[in-house]
Amino acid sequence: MSRSMLISSAAKQMRMYSARPAARDATGHPKVTIQTIKRLYAEQKPIALMTAYDYPTAVACERAGIDMVLVGDSLAMVALGHDDTSQVTMDEMIHHSKAVSRGLHSPFIVTDLPFGSYQSDERTAVENAVRMVKEGRAEAVKLETGRRGAAKIDAIVNGAGIPVVGHIGLTPQTAVALGGFRVQGKSLASAQSLVDDALALQEAGCFAMVLEAMPSLVAETITRVLRVPTIGIGAGPATSGQALVLSDMVGMFDRFTPKFCQSFSDLGPRMADAVGAFKKDVRRGTFPVEGVHTYAMPAAAEERWRAYVQQQFGFELGGHKSEKGVASTAQV
């Protein structure tokens, strides 16, 4: 094999930094890496990104074969009950990121750096990015910032070797400064500013960009001028991929539903109905059902226990007779 062929072969096998090896998981889905994302982008195959906040939601994403999972700071509102995303801490994000990582094998996991963890200076930004990868088991971090944060992204990517996803448009961490949760880029000047932000973040080293709550034409413009994939959330159909907040799209967040969110299920009311049915069965005494939800003693042991209780405490136990030949599946 010639030297050029060897170099080409080695280049094809190279992957950017990942906290996990590229191996097949138990569900049969191949491990998604940055190279996978680049290939989807090159082949113009839309990328699917979903948020997850804990082990169960991560397992759902794993089973669905989602491409990318974002441990978003939206968990401040949808999982922790805060009024906005700015109140979640670095330690809380690490805690949730670790939980999500335990449920994932195939999807590429990105975790938000929360408000206050990277705004002050480049050193702090790098230190917290390293913590998120080392402690939170993230494979990349996401920063909500425009071109003013480009130096920090450059330090994280090129200084620490950690992949970064940019996030422009509506940036919930600084929604107050934007006048609330409002669509961005509706004027010529603000649209041009978003394009400038996107180009600056690409130059700083972002391998992908989240575009949130902006006119479709602006998102299409950004997508066409960039050389990295864009993931839209409320940014129209022309982006390289789409994202939604899991709690929104399955009806688990009761405060509001963004205009851009499609409802794919309605689990919130169904969960409340299930809890209510449980309460009714408890009140009526129809749950648990003896012999269905209970564990029995062996017949001989039960007889001795009943005699012991009668002698020791002076009362007879109820008529919960053991069934011979029925083996308990409980682990002792």
Side-chain angles (χ1 to χ4, degrees):
M1 183 180 291
S2 67
R3 183 174 182 273
S4 61
M5 292 177 65
L6 283 170
I7 293 173
S8 175
S9 177
K12 289 179 181 179
Q13 297 179 39
M14 287 178 63
R15 296 190 301 122
M16 288 189 70
Y17 177 87
S18 174
R20 295 179 196 78
R24 230 170 243 282
D25 71 284
T27 61
H29 302 301
K31 178 72 185 87
V32 176
T33 67
I34 289 181
Q35 293 305 318
T36 310
I37 297 165
K38 287 183 175 180
R39 184 174 69 250
L40 291 173
Y41 173 64
E43 296 173 355
Q44 297 186 348
K45 293 181 179 178
I47 300 162
L49 181 150
M50 182 58 60
T51 62
Y53 306 115
D54 52 23
Y55 180 80
T57 52
V59 170
C61 292
E62 175 69 37
R63 291 174 176 171
I66 209 77
D67 300 315
M68 300 174 71
V69 165
L70 170 66
V71 186
D73 59 4
S74 51
L75 70 85
M77 300 174 69
V78 303
L80 301 180
H82 291 301
D83 293 330
D84 57 60
T85 65
S86 67
Q87 298 176 61
V88 71
T89 68
M90 187 69 188
D91 286 340
E92 286 170 331
M93 290 301 301
I94 289 173
H95 172 83
H96 284 269
S97 186
K98 285 193 293 187
V100 169
S101 73
R102 297 183 193 113
L104 296 180
H105 297 281
S106 172
F108 188 85
I109 178 172
V110 182
T111 302
D112 271 332
L113 287 186
F115 180 73
S117 67
Y118 60 90
Q119 282 85 355
S120 60
D121 54 67
E122 294 170 23
R123 179 176 178 179
T124 301
V126 170
E127 288 175 349
N128 283 319
V130 169
R131 281 195 67 197
M132 194 61 74
V133 170
K134 189 172 183 179
E135 301 176 40
R137 301 293 294 160
E139 295 174 291
V141 295
K142 181 168 74 65
L143 277 69
E144 295 183 10
T145 184
R147 51 193 178 275
R148 289 180 298 179
K152 298 181 181 71
I153 291 173
D154 176 76
I156 294 171
V157 174
N158 299 309
I162 296 173
V164 172
V165 175
H167 184 150
I168 61 173
L170 172 59
T171 49
Q173 291 180 2
T174 54
V176 173
L178 299 174
F181 291 89
R182 297 178 181 275
V183 176
Q184 302 298 303
K186 296 180 75 171
S187 70
L188 180 63
S190 61
Q192 181 59 57
S193 180
L194 289 176
V195 173
D196 292 342
D197 283 340
L199 289 170
L201 297 193
Q202 175 182 258
E203 183 65 24
C206 288
F207 77 91
M209 200 91 57
V210 170
L211 309 181
E212 181 168 359
M214 63 181 64
S216 299
L217 288 178
V218 178
E220 180 183 355
T221 302
I222 293 171
T223 299
R224 295 180 69 173
V225 301
L226 292 185
R227 303 182 307 277
V228 297
T230 58
I231 310 295
I233 177 166
T239 52
S240 312
Q242 296 293 328
L244 280 179
V245 173
L246 181 61
S247 302
D248 290 340
M249 55 90 72
V250 299
M252 289 287 289
F253 187 58
D254 60 348
R255 296 183 194 170
F256 62 86
T257 300
K259 175 185 177 180
F260 56 73
C261 181
Q262 177 173 324
S263 176
F264 289 85
S265 188
D266 200 16
L267 300 185
R270 291 169 62 187
M271 182 180 293
D273 289 345
V275 174
F278 162 74
K279 177 185 174 182
K280 288 180 181 178
D281 282 1
V282 170
R283 287 279 197 267
R284 292 194 297 242
T286 56
F287 176 84
V289 177
E290 187 65 39
V292 177
H293 308 115
T294 59
Y295 303 104
M297 299 175 74
E302 178 182 322
E303 185 176 351
R304 290 195 296 271
W305 181 251
R306 287 177 179 276
Y308 171 80
V309 170
Q310 173 67 45
Q311 180 180 4
Q312 187 72 16
F313 303 109
F315 60 82
E316 292 185 3
L317 293 172
H320 312 296
K321 293 291 185 181
S322 300
E323 294 185 20
K324 293 183 178 180
V326 178
S328 171
T329 58
Q331 294 183 350
V332 180

